[in-house]
Amino acid sequence: MSLDPSFVGRTYPPTAPYQVGREKIREFATAIGATDPAHHDLEAAQALGHPDLLAPPTFPVIVTMAASSQIVEDPALGIDYSRVVHGDQRFAYTRPVVAGDELVCTNTIEDVSTRGGHGFLTTRTDVTTVGGEPVVAVWSKIVVRGEA
């Protein structure tokens, strides 16, 4: 089943809020080898002007991957997740993520195409606070491999 191009422009409902915790930031930073003290030590983060621990730049993948289930699990779009490989990811920050943030994600399908028998899906996830303050926009491209 190929991806349905009529989904371009579709926006899904906002997700439930995600509470960013200090330990999650520390765990993520440790897992990716981010040693900057601002990710681990509250005083170091505050000395740099942040209100709390600073999340590494790729931390939003935690909330955007969970939010992407809205798209991946939409049966009408036609994604066979067993055939998916990650193509690309990029982040455009309005401000950093810090401990204490309550983040909400809104997914939009920006592009659907087919090349060489493979489906390509580009999504944008706008990450905001529960109060509507923009934090980061995250683009992700997945490739749905065609039948061999």
Side-chain angles (χ1 to χ4, degrees):
M1 175 185 226
S2 62
L3 300 175
D4 184 347
S6 73
F7 276 65
V8 172
R10 180 173 291 192
T11 298
Y12 291 79
T15 62
Y18 175 88
Q19 178 75 44
V20 178
R22 289 178 182 163
E23 286 311 307
K24 279 292 186 191
I25 289 175
R26 289 181 180 120
E27 290 168 358
F28 186 86
T30 298
I32 65 167
T35 58
D36 187 318
H39 305 314
H40 301 275
D41 179 17
L42 179 59
E43 289 180 7
Q46 289 174 333
L48 293 172
H50 302 289
D52 213 306
L53 286 186
L54 176 67
T58 55
F59 183 87
V61 77
I62 291 174
V63 293
T64 60
M65 281 294 294
S68 71
S69 66
Q70 292 176 314
I71 296 169
V72 171
E73 295 172 2
D74 187 336
L77 180 56
I79 295 176
D80 176 355
Y81 201 72
S82 71
R83 305 195 64 76
V84 168
V85 293
H86 187 266
D88 187 33
Q89 187 123 29
R90 65 186 168 95
F91 302 82
Y93 274 90
T94 302
R95 71 156 178 84
V97 174
V98 294
D101 280 340
E102 286 187 83
L103 303 177
V104 175
C105 296
T106 304
N107 292 307
T108 302
I109 296 177
E110 288 204 336
D111 187 53
V112 173
S113 62
T114 303
R115 293 188 300 271
H118 305 293
F120 292 80
L121 174 72
T122 302
T123 62
R124 185 187 76 242
T125 304
D126 293 309
V127 182
T128 64
T129 64
V130 291
E133 176 189 4
V135 178
V136 61
V138 181
W139 286 266
S140 178
K141 180 177 287 186
I142 63 170
V143 180
V144 182
R145 294 173 292 122
E147 298 293 327

